[in-house]
Amino acid sequence: MEDRRIVELYLERSEEAILETDIKYGRYCHRIAFNILGNDEDSEECVNDAYMRTWGSIPPNEPKSLSSFIGKITRNLALDKLRSKKSDKRGGGETPLALDELSECVSGFDEISRREDSAEIREALNGFLEGLNTVERSVFMLRYWMMEPIDSIAEMKGMSSSKVTTMLFRMRNKLKKHFMKEGIPL
């Protein structure tokens, strides 16, 4: 079913909207949550919570991209759950590693992540992503949005792990320079 029709089902308050969302985006949401939490049970709980949060958010929101909308909700719920459990061992250690990587290039990353809805930061990050080529953008998003392990990204992209690591290192440096150029405090 098309995203537009699923959003219309939410607007009509039809419970079929949740079923259709699960059919189309259930695996996607579960993967996001699992990459952060590393636990099927917690991931499933996050996905179910994301469906309920989506139900409560549409209306008044009417997302243009349902996948991004529910993906962001799932990711935020999973990160909240991870924080509440205060466990660095969840997610095979990938979430803390990925966040540590970003904090190396952006010293105030904790503050930036708390202000993730800031229009200024969102615009700067979107500008940075637009400046990357398709492969770089995909690798960046897989690592820092989906929290994929480097070996997994390398396998998906047909690259060596060292190439992915080097590519991420260079992109983090570019991001730091881009934020400084845009006046984002580091």
Side-chain angles (χ1 to χ4, degrees):
M1 182 178 286
E2 294 292 318
D3 284 3
R4 183 71 220 140
R5 179 63 190 132
I6 296 172
V7 171
E8 287 172 5
L9 290 172
Y10 279 105
L11 293 170
E12 295 165 4
R13 307 312 288 159
S14 170
E15 291 181 16
E16 184 183 352
I18 294 174
L19 174 64
E20 293 297 332
T21 302
D22 185 51
I23 290 168
K24 189 162 186 181
Y25 295 112
R27 291 182 68 204
Y28 165 72
C29 291
H30 187 272
R31 184 172 187 141
I32 291 171
F34 187 83
N35 284 343
I36 294 169
L37 299 168
N39 175 299
D40 276 319
E41 187 176 306
D42 289 346
S43 300
E44 199 58 42
E45 184 180 328
C46 276
V47 171
N48 289 331
D49 289 348
Y51 295 156
M52 295 313 298
R53 180 91 39 104
T54 302
W55 177 263
S57 297
I58 305 174
N61 296 304
E62 210 172 314
K64 293 178 183 159
S65 171
L66 185 59
S67 64
S68 296
F69 188 79
I70 194 158
K72 181 179 180 180
I73 290 171
T74 304
R75 182 177 183 273
N76 289 342
L77 287 168
L79 288 170
D80 288 347
K81 184 175 271 304
L82 181 69
R83 279 186 213 107
S84 73
K85 290 189 175 228
K86 295 181 182 177
S87 172
D88 288 345
K89 294 183 181 183
R90 292 277 184 182
E94 288 308 314
T95 300
L97 285 174
L99 295 178
D100 282 347
E101 289 169 11
L102 283 176
S103 70
E104 288 173 11
C105 73
V106 182
S107 61
F109 183 73
D110 286 340
E111 181 182 332
I112 288 172
S113 67
R114 281 193 297 274
R115 298 179 349 198
E116 68 188 351
D117 291 328
S118 163
E120 179 184 6
I121 294 168
R122 187 171 43 250
E123 287 177 28
L125 186 56
N126 284 338
F128 169 74
L129 291 170
E130 288 171 6
L132 299 176
N133 66 43
T134 306
V135 173
E136 289 173 328
R137 188 177 316 118
S138 176
V139 167
F140 188 90
M141 294 301 288
L142 284 168
R143 181 64 176 162
Y144 301 119
W145 175 258
M146 300 284 293
M147 304 292 179
E148 287 286 345
I150 289 173
D151 290 341
S152 176
I153 297 169
E155 185 177 321
M156 283 186 245
K157 297 297 176 184
M159 301 176 182
S160 68
S161 294
S162 62
K163 181 171 181 165
V164 171
T165 301
T166 301
M167 184 183 288
L168 289 168
F169 175 78
R170 289 179 179 156
M171 284 189 285
R172 288 192 307 270
N173 285 334
K174 283 183 190 177
L175 177 61
K176 182 176 183 175
K177 288 177 185 172
H178 183 77
F179 275 175
M180 288 182 351
K181 179 181 154 198
E182 295 294 319
I184 307 280
L186 305 175

